[in-house]
């Protein structure tokens, strides 16, 4: 590579493993990104269209070439349609993940999902009551069945609105009703979005974007929220637990297994198998001192949140962890799994296993997990991983792991505050905490890995802004040392005092990408306690290194819910100034929040702090000049 490794990632393990990968002639995401330069300018601006076969078409951004596609669609229509399709893809990804969990919940109720059980009866009863189901005197299993059926209805078209929308503050729900974006069925909104973007259907760029808001809300308050709630019911409500992060979590003397993807249905079973006395004894037989399970990306975050399972890395580390030569098996489910991984693994002894009926990858063995056979399959696969230990060659684990604490569900946070959001509100009112920011999303080779996340987080906490994070950001921030109680030394005086008194870090790990809904629930609780709408709160969202369609959907449901959100990489919309103006300004008059785009995290921190102080002022709270 002709780029210095320090220019690609701020992480020590990343830099050292990039050198190792180069030595081993392993191609990485950064090289492929470089090989793609220059990337297509039309696509970058959102000005190319492949929706039908009269095309592909493109609009000349300089006004010299064609200004319309073959069908007559102009830049505004083409850009809006492309963005809407990203939202639909992101919403369907999260929501389909949610559906898989609902099927397991139904299976547990029917006795067809051995190995799974209801771990939180309390949450089952609470969510069932929200669905209008009588819970009094009912056993958990039939209740789980009723709840699963009710959630399935949320996916269809028999409801006027999806049920968990009722969790939003009343003012927000009234606004959605007024502008016609209350989400109906989860699948319905995605399906309608795709219909409207077919050639010759909705050619109003504003009405298209309005449907994109509704589609994103169907994910945020629907599919993703169901995914999180059912995961809590099946696997337990997360509570703070110590853990460790970075590639140093791999063990020289143990069998290393990594889970990658998003769905805890697979990873929870693998964890159970790793703890089985029979397989631990088998590992001893093979000369290993144990079986060490760790995660990458969000399925790892799910295990970290509930069990303190360590995280070997985030999105851009997924190839590099294999180049340690210390991984016996990587099991993947779906989303964010680079199709290159099988090729990387082939350079080492690592076995690659795909587990989902809907996700296949080159160079991986496909061993499908289904609720009825998952427990057995997990035992078989972990046994194979243990057998593979004897094939291990030289390993390179170049760093020591960093300590962190994860597992901050809303229940935990409110519990730590003494049962209500009031102490947090009091700290905000007193100005000890200026506000709160949810930093979410991925890594992207367009941005130095983790630089955006870590810089933004640092600037916010040192200015007394509480940070909550999810997904790959949460791993970046844990690697940077923000997630131990001692990290309050990096916080401003007010945040330090509040977090110090509660014994919590200034940056709270809220979970995986679907767990962004925990942020929605938290801001709703704050808004309700203050008697205002979410858009009135001194809060913001940020996605400094996002790459995926899911992140577009998350950003869109944040904004539609009233949370102004700052993106690092520019979405492909710059080809239409009308779309840019609507998303970065006009939406303020529609939903009380907007997007902003700022790749420099130092500047993004200033934008966010100004926004927070502006909201404080409007609420009559003491505000600073930023
Ligand atoms: Fe071209 Fe219109 Fe077809 Fe798009 S929908 S490819 S702009 S003809
Ligand atoms: S895994 S969507 S890279 S956060 Fe959820 Fe990370 Fe982004 Fe995937």
């Amino acid at each position: 590579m002709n780029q210095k490794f320090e220019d690609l990632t701020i992480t020590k393990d990343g830099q050292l493993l990039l050198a190792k990968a180069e030595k081993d002639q392993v191609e990485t995401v950064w090289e492929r990104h470089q090989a793609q330069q220059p990337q297509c300018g039309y696509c970058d601006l959102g000005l190319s269209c492949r929706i039908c076969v009269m095309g592909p078409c493109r609009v000349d951004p300089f006004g010299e070439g064609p200004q319309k596609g073959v069908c007559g669609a102009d830049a505004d229509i083409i850009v809006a349609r492309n963005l809407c399709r990203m939202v639909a893809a992101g919403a369907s990804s999260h929501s389909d993940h949610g559906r898989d969990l609902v099927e397991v919940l139904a299976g547990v109720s029917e006795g067809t999902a051995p190995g799974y059980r209801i771990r939180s009866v309390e949450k089952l009863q609470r969510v069932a009551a929200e669905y209008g189901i009588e819970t009094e005197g009912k056993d958990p299993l039939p209740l789980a069945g009723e709840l699963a059926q009710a959630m399935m209805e949320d996916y269809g078209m028999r409801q006027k609105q999806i049920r968990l929308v009722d969790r939003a503050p009343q003012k927000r729900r009234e606004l959605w009703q007024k502008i016609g974006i209350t989400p109906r069925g989860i699948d319905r909104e995605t399906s309608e979005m795709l219909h409207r973007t077919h050639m010759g259907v909705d050619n109003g760029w504003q009405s298209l974007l309005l449907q994109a808001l509704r589609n994103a809300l169907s994910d945020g308050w629907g599919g993703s929220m169901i995914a999180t709630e059912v995961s809590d019911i099946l696997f337990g409500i997360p509570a703070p637990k110590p853990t460790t992060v970075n590639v140093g979590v791999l063990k020289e003397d143990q069998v290393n297994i990594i889970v990658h993807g998003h769905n805890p249905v697979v990873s929870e079973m693998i964890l159970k198998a790793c703890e089985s006395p029979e397989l631990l004894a088998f590992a001893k037989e093979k000369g290993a001192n144990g079986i060490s399970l760790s995660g990458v990306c969000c399925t790892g975050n799910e295990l970290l949140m509930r069990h303190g399972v360590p995280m070997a890395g985030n999105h851009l580390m997924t190839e590099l962890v294999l180049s340690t030569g210390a991984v016996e098996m990587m099991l993947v489910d779906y989303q964010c799994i680079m199709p290159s991984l099988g090729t990387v693994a082939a350079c080492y002894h690592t076995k690659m296993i795909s587990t989902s009926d809907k996700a296949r990858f080159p160079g991986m063995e496909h061993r499908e997990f289904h609720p009825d056979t998952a427990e057995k399959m997990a035992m078989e696969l972990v046994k194979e991983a243990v057998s593979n230990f004897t094939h291990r060659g030289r390993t390179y684990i170049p760093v020591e792991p960093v300590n962190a604490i994860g597992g901050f569900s809303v229940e935990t946070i409110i519990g730590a505050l003494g049962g209500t959001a009031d102490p947090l509100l009091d700290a905000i009112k007193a100005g000890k905490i200026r506000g709160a920011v949810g930093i979410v999303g991925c890594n992207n080779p367009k941005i130095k890995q983790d630089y955006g996340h870590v810089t933004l987080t640092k600037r916010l906490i040192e200015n007394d802004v509480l940070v909550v994070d999810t997904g790959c950001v949460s791993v970046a921030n844990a690697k940077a040392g923000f997630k131990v109680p001692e990290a309050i030394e990096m916080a401003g005086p007010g945040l330090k005092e509040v977090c110090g008194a509660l014994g919590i870090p200034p940056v709270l790990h809220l979970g995986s990408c679907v767990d962004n809904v925990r942020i929605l629930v938290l801001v709703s609780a704050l808004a309700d306690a203050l008697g205002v709408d979410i858009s009135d709160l001194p809060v913001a969202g940020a996605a400094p290194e996002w790459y995926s369609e899911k992140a577009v959907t998350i950003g869109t449901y944040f904004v539609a819910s009233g949370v102004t959100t700052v993106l690092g990489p520019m979405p492909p919309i710059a080809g239409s100034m009308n779309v840019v103006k609507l998303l970065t300004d006009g939406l303020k008059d529609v939903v009380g929040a907007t997007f902003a785009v700022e790749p420099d995290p130092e500047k993004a921190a200033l934008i966010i702090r100004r926004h927070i102080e502006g909201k404080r002022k409007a609420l009559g709270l003491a505000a600073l000049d930023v």
Side-chain angles (χ1 to χ4, degrees):
M1 281 199 85
N2 58 13
Q3 279 175 292
K4 287 202 209 103
F5 301 139
E6 307 87 78
D7 295 336
L8 305 181
T9 172
I10 65 166
T11 63
K12 198 83 232 140
D13 54 352
Q15 291 166 7
L16 292 168
L17 284 169
L18 272 165
K20 165 80 159 50
E22 187 170 78
K23 200 168 107 239
D24 293 352
Q25 298 187 324
V26 168
E27 184 188 75
T28 66
V29 58
W30 284 280
E31 280 162 277
R32 294 189 298 274
H33 177 249
Q34 202 176 21
Q36 284 289 338
Q37 303 308 315
Q39 286 172 307
C40 173
Y42 292 99
C43 294
D44 210 24
L45 298 171
L47 285 174
S48 54
C49 183
R50 286 185 293 106
I51 279 176
C52 85
V53 181
M54 290 192 286
C57 304
R58 54 193 188 180
V59 164
D60 181 1
F62 302 109
E64 287 160 13
Q67 293 302 293
K68 286 186 177 159
V70 175
C71 66
D74 62 13
D76 296 333
I77 297 170
I78 290 175
V79 167
R81 270 195 316 217
N82 287 337
L83 185 69
C84 287
R85 286 194 162 208
M86 290 183 86
V87 171
S92 64
S93 306
H94 281 153
S95 297
D96 200 34
H97 163 174
R99 184 189 353 255
D100 286 342
L101 283 151
V102 174
E103 283 187 342
V104 175
L105 186 67
V108 168
S109 164
E110 291 154 10
T112 55
Y116 300 96
R117 62 190 173 90
I118 308 292
R119 290 243 179 78
S120 178
V121 174
E122 182 254 317
K123 187 141 201 177
L124 168 68
Q125 289 171 335
R126 190 151 38 95
V127 178
E130 286 184 84
Y131 271 81
I133 299 168
E134 180 57 57
T135 60
E136 200 58 35
K138 271 193 196 143
D139 286 337
L141 290 185
L143 187 58
E146 276 188 71
L147 178 59
Q149 289 304 319
M151 286 174 159
M152 286 174 192
E153 294 284 356
D154 261 355
Y155 278 87
M157 58 172 285
R158 288 174 37 153
Q159 318 280 8
K160 284 208 177 76
Q161 67 154 70
I162 53 176
R163 189 57 70 120
L164 296 176
V165 159
D166 282 343
R167 290 181 170 184
Q170 193 180 341
K171 283 186 182 165
R172 187 61 19 190
R173 279 182 278 137
E174 285 167 4
L175 174 71
W176 290 337
Q177 205 60 42
K178 195 171 112 209
I179 59 177
I181 61 168
T182 302
R184 301 156 295 175
I186 297 162
D187 289 345
R188 177 180 184 168
E189 301 307 355
T190 298
S191 175
E192 183 171 319
M193 188 78 266
L194 290 172
H195 176 197
R196 284 165 77 150
T197 52
H198 188 279
M199 150 54 195
V201 186
D202 192 355
N203 287 287
W205 57 271
Q206 298 101 324
S207 51
L208 277 167
L209 292 171
L210 217 51
Q211 172 60 18
L213 298 187
R214 180 156 60 171
N215 191 184
L217 289 173
S218 78
D219 174 26
W221 299 86
S224 277
M225 206 168 268
I226 285 175
T228 292
E229 297 301 46
V230 177
S231 296
D232 284 0
I233 291 168
L234 290 172
F235 307 120
I237 300 173
K241 283 199 180 54
T243 186
T244 48
V245 288
N246 81 25
V247 90
V249 304
L250 298 178
K251 304 268 193 323
E252 291 280 3
D253 61 342
Q254 297 193 21
V255 175
N256 289 304
I257 299 178
I258 292 189
V259 283
H260 180 6
H262 283 78
N263 194 335
V265 164
V266 174
S267 48
E268 284 276 344
M269 278 301 121
I270 296 293
L271 174 62
K272 208 167 155 191
C274 288
E275 290 168 346
S276 110
E278 177 195 331
L279 292 177
L280 286 168
F282 184 54
K284 271 253 160 344
E285 246 175 66
K286 294 283 171 192
N289 276 334
I291 306 173
S292 172
L293 180 68
S294 48
V296 289
C297 285
C298 282
T299 204
N301 275 321
E302 297 274 355
L303 291 182
L304 180 151
M305 288 289 283
R306 297 191 176 86
H307 308 281
V309 165
M311 284 292 279
N314 46 3
H315 179 54
L316 287 186
M317 284 298 292
T318 54
E319 293 173 319
L320 294 179
V321 294
L322 299 179
S323 69
T324 58
V327 181
E328 273 59 54
M329 183 177 279
M330 180 184 268
L331 295 115
V332 308
D333 50 83
Y334 44 54
Q335 300 169 14
C336 303
I337 297 148
M338 291 189 226
S340 61
L341 287 176
T343 313
V344 177
C347 299
Y348 307 95
H349 74 305
T350 310
K351 283 194 167 197
M352 297 295 297
I353 309 289
S354 54
T355 59
S356 165
D357 58 345
K358 52 190 107 177
R360 312 263 174 147
F361 301 86
M364 294 196 195
E365 198 181 321
H366 189 67
R367 305 279 285 277
E368 239 164 76
F369 269 60
H370 294 282
D372 51 339
T373 53
E375 194 175 24
K376 193 166 157 273
M377 178 70 90
M379 288 293 284
E380 280 169 25
L381 284 168
V382 172
K383 190 167 186 192
E384 287 174 33
V386 172
S387 297
N388 198 24
F389 183 70
T390 52
H391 300 131
R392 194 192 270 188
R394 267 228 183 116
T395 60
Y396 180 61
I397 305 172
V399 292
E400 289 298 316
V402 174
N403 290 328
I405 296 179
F408 287 92
S409 55
V410 175
E411 288 86 342
T412 303
I413 295 171
I414 301 288
L417 294 169
T420 74
D422 291 350
L424 182 55
L425 278 180
D426 291 344
I428 291 174
K429 283 182 193 161
K432 287 180 183 169
I433 296 180
R434 312 299 308 168
V437 175
I439 309 186
V440 308
C442 328
N443 291 138
N444 183 327
K446 292 179 173 174
I447 292 189
K448 193 195 288 189
Q449 190 206 5
D450 290 358
Y451 172 73
H453 302 319
V454 170
T455 310
L456 178 61
T457 302
K458 194 162 186 290
R459 294 292 171 253
L460 292 177
I461 62 171
E462 69 193 16
N463 284 290
D464 291 323
V465 176
L466 177 71
V467 170
V468 297
D469 60 16
T470 60
C472 289
V473 185
S474 55
V475 184
N477 281 340
K479 285 187 279 182
F482 292 139
K483 295 200 168 162
V484 282
E486 304 79 59
I488 55 171
E489 296 307 327
M490 292 186 257
L495 185 61
K496 179 178 171 179
E497 184 191 321
V498 176
C499 292
L502 295 168
I504 58 172
V507 181
L508 304 179
H509 189 327
L510 259 66
S512 62
C513 356
V514 292
D515 288 337
N516 282 310
V517 302
R518 297 192 201 272
I519 299 176
L520 295 181
V521 173
L522 192 59
V523 290
S524 296
L526 290 178
D528 283 341
L530 267 178
V532 298
D533 194 356
I534 295 172
S535 53
D536 299 320
L537 294 172
V539 301
E545 301 181 29
W546 73 277
Y547 91 88
S548 87
E549 290 162 319
K550 291 180 293 169
V552 179
T553 315
I554 293 163
T556 306
Y557 72 61
F558 267 22
V559 170
S561 300
V563 180
T564 283
T565 298
V566 181
L567 304 174
M570 180 73 176
I573 57 169
S576 163
M577 279 324 285
N578 279 330
V579 171
V580 170
K581 273 195 215 142
L582 179 73
L583 297 183
T584 58
D585 186 32
L587 278 182
K588 208 183 302 154
D589 299 329
V590 185
V591 290
T594 62
F595 285 99
V597 180
E598 179 48 71
D600 179 347
E602 298 281 2
K603 290 186 189 153
L606 286 175
I607 292 172
I608 290 171
R609 289 181 55 218
R610 275 186 206 122
H611 168 77
I612 283 176
E613 296 301 333
K615 292 291 174 187
R616 291 184 62 87
K617 200 167 168 195
L619 283 171
L621 304 176
L624 298 172
D625 283 331
V626 177

